[in-house]
Amino acid sequence: MIFILLFFFVIGLVVRTRLWAFLNKAEDRYLLKVPGYKIVKDTVQQFFGKNRSFFKEVVLVDIFNSGALMTGFITDDQGDIISVFVPTGPNPTSGNIYHLQKDRVTRTNAPVDVGMKTIISCGAGSAEVFASAAIK
């Protein structure tokens, strides 16, 4: 327990010193020049960082016109065509992007974090998503 507290104390000291400023400058100088680093950094920040506006809203989509609904997130709305990201569970960082006619998309009032929780839990807790949907 003492080791853990000491470890976090040292991290706190590093963050408040010049070493932290040097590490931040090192990212600008070196890491941002590595191919793909910025893309990976932006993606991680979109899912777990400050940029939480990656998805606009939770939707249910009938991709194959079979009646089976999938939970997805609107990434772009062009009016008649809506771009939807349908993640795979339990790992929401992978999935498929579909560009669908708006009549194939059922909008919900569920918050994005609730939709993400249902993906991570492989569908458990989907009742809130379905309760907030206007299913035909």
PDB file of all heavy atoms in Angstrom, residues 118-130:
ATOM      1  N   THR A 118     -24.563  -0.412 -23.527  1.00  0.00           N
ATOM      2  CA  THR A 118     -25.229  -1.612 -24.040  1.00  0.00           C
ATOM      3  C   THR A 118     -24.334  -2.362 -25.018  1.00  0.00           C
ATOM      4  O   THR A 118     -24.390  -3.584 -25.096  1.00  0.00           O
ATOM      5  CB  THR A 118     -26.568  -1.273 -24.722  1.00  0.00           C
ATOM      6  OG1 THR A 118     -26.328  -0.452 -25.854  1.00  0.00           O
ATOM      7  CG2 THR A 118     -27.520  -0.604 -23.766  1.00  0.00           C
ATOM      8  N   ILE A 119     -23.502  -1.646 -25.755  1.00  0.00           N
ATOM      9  CA  ILE A 119     -22.557  -2.301 -26.673  1.00  0.00           C
ATOM     10  C   ILE A 119     -21.511  -3.061 -25.871  1.00  0.00           C
ATOM     11  O   ILE A 119     -21.221  -4.231 -26.136  1.00  0.00           O
ATOM     12  CB  ILE A 119     -21.871  -1.267 -27.601  1.00  0.00           C
ATOM     13  CG1 ILE A 119     -22.899  -0.554 -28.474  1.00  0.00           C
ATOM     14  CG2 ILE A 119     -20.787  -1.926 -28.438  1.00  0.00           C
ATOM     15  CD1 ILE A 119     -23.636  -1.415 -29.444  1.00  0.00           C
ATOM     16  N   ILE A 120     -20.930  -2.398 -24.874  1.00  0.00           N
ATOM     17  CA  ILE A 120     -19.870  -3.016 -24.072  1.00  0.00           C
ATOM     18  C   ILE A 120     -20.401  -4.228 -23.317  1.00  0.00           C
ATOM     19  O   ILE A 120     -19.693  -5.215 -23.147  1.00  0.00           O
ATOM     20  CB  ILE A 120     -19.246  -1.977 -23.116  1.00  0.00           C
ATOM     21  CG1 ILE A 120     -18.501  -0.924 -23.939  1.00  0.00           C
ATOM     22  CG2 ILE A 120     -18.326  -2.619 -22.101  1.00  0.00           C
ATOM     23  CD1 ILE A 120     -18.041   0.278 -23.156  1.00  0.00           C
ATOM     24  N   SER A 121     -21.661  -4.171 -22.880  1.00  0.00           N
ATOM     25  CA  SER A 121     -22.246  -5.279 -22.126  1.00  0.00           C
ATOM     26  C   SER A 121     -22.954  -6.286 -23.025  1.00  0.00           C
ATOM     27  O   SER A 121     -23.729  -7.112 -22.544  1.00  0.00           O
ATOM     28  CB  SER A 121     -23.218  -4.745 -21.079  1.00  0.00           C
ATOM     29  OG  SER A 121     -24.307  -4.114 -21.713  1.00  0.00           O
ATOM     30  N   CYS A 122     -22.689  -6.221 -24.335  1.00  0.00           N
ATOM     31  CA  CYS A 122     -23.260  -7.168 -25.316  1.00  0.00           C
ATOM     32  C   CYS A 122     -24.789  -7.190 -25.294  1.00  0.00           C
ATOM     33  O   CYS A 122     -25.409  -8.241 -25.388  1.00  0.00           O
ATOM     34  CB  CYS A 122     -22.688  -8.565 -25.109  1.00  0.00           C
ATOM     35  SG  CYS A 122     -20.926  -8.664 -25.421  1.00  0.00           S
ATOM     36  N   GLY A 123     -25.399  -6.029 -25.144  1.00  0.00           N
ATOM     37  CA  GLY A 123     -26.848  -5.917 -25.229  1.00  0.00           C
ATOM     38  C   GLY A 123     -27.568  -5.841 -23.904  1.00  0.00           C
ATOM     39  O   GLY A 123     -28.751  -5.493 -23.867  1.00  0.00           O
ATOM     40  N   ALA A 124     -26.885  -6.165 -22.813  1.00  0.00           N
ATOM     41  CA  ALA A 124     -27.532  -6.078 -21.502  1.00  0.00           C
ATOM     42  C   ALA A 124     -27.853  -4.616 -21.212  1.00  0.00           C
ATOM     43  O   ALA A 124     -27.026  -3.736 -21.425  1.00  0.00           O
ATOM     44  CB  ALA A 124     -26.623  -6.641 -20.418  1.00  0.00           C
ATOM     45  N   GLY A 125     -29.058  -4.348 -20.751  1.00  0.00           N
ATOM     46  CA  GLY A 125     -29.464  -2.990 -20.447  1.00  0.00           C
ATOM     47  C   GLY A 125     -30.013  -2.234 -21.636  1.00  0.00           C
ATOM     48  O   GLY A 125     -30.103  -1.010 -21.610  1.00  0.00           O
ATOM     49  N   SER A 126     -30.394  -2.933 -22.695  1.00  0.00           N
ATOM     50  CA  SER A 126     -30.929  -2.275 -23.886  1.00  0.00           C
ATOM     51  C   SER A 126     -32.346  -1.746 -23.703  1.00  0.00           C
ATOM     52  O   SER A 126     -32.865  -1.059 -24.576  1.00  0.00           O
ATOM     53  CB  SER A 126     -30.913  -3.252 -25.076  1.00  0.00           C
ATOM     54  OG  SER A 126     -29.607  -3.570 -25.419  1.00  0.00           O
ATOM     55  N   ALA A 127     -32.965  -2.047 -22.580  1.00  0.00           N
ATOM     56  CA  ALA A 127     -34.342  -1.622 -22.351  1.00  0.00           C
ATOM     57  C   ALA A 127     -34.491  -0.105 -22.436  1.00  0.00           C
ATOM     58  O   ALA A 127     -35.480   0.391 -22.979  1.00  0.00           O
ATOM     59  CB  ALA A 127     -34.829  -2.120 -20.982  1.00  0.00           C
ATOM     60  N   GLU A 128     -33.506   0.636 -21.941  1.00  0.00           N
ATOM     61  CA  GLU A 128     -33.587   2.096 -21.988  1.00  0.00           C
ATOM     62  C   GLU A 128     -33.515   2.612 -23.421  1.00  0.00           C
ATOM     63  O   GLU A 128     -34.198   3.565 -23.776  1.00  0.00           O
ATOM     64  CB  GLU A 128     -32.465   2.715 -21.152  1.00  0.00           C
ATOM     65  CG  GLU A 128     -32.589   4.214 -21.022  1.00  0.00           C
ATOM     66  CD  GLU A 128     -31.566   4.823 -20.064  1.00  0.00           C
ATOM     67  OE1 GLU A 128     -30.921   4.079 -19.319  1.00  0.00           O
ATOM     68  OE2 GLU A 128     -31.438   6.056 -20.089  1.00  0.00           O
ATOM     69  N   VAL A 129     -32.727   1.942 -24.260  1.00  0.00           N
ATOM     70  CA  VAL A 129     -32.630   2.342 -25.664  1.00  0.00           C
ATOM     71  C   VAL A 129     -33.957   2.084 -26.375  1.00  0.00           C
ATOM     72  O   VAL A 129     -34.476   2.924 -27.086  1.00  0.00           O
ATOM     73  CB  VAL A 129     -31.476   1.607 -26.377  1.00  0.00           C
ATOM     74  CG1 VAL A 129     -31.469   1.903 -27.863  1.00  0.00           C
ATOM     75  CG2 VAL A 129     -30.142   1.982 -25.751  1.00  0.00           C
ATOM     76  N   PHE A 130     -34.532   0.902 -26.143  1.00  0.00           N
ATOM     77  CA  PHE A 130     -35.800   0.568 -26.793  1.00  0.00           C
ATOM     78  C   PHE A 130     -36.959   1.405 -26.250  1.00  0.00           C
ATOM     79  O   PHE A 130     -37.861   1.762 -27.000  1.00  0.00           O
ATOM     80  CB  PHE A 130     -36.119  -0.925 -26.633  1.00  0.00           C
ATOM     81  CG  PHE A 130     -35.330  -1.790 -27.569  1.00  0.00           C
ATOM     82  CD1 PHE A 130     -34.249  -2.506 -27.125  1.00  0.00           C
ATOM     83  CD2 PHE A 130     -35.652  -1.858 -28.913  1.00  0.00           C
ATOM     84  CE1 PHE A 130     -33.499  -3.293 -27.995  1.00  0.00           C
ATOM     85  CE2 PHE A 130     -34.933  -2.627 -29.792  1.00  0.00           C
ATOM     86  CZ  PHE A 130     -33.847  -3.350 -29.324  1.00  0.00           C
TER      87      PHE A 130
END
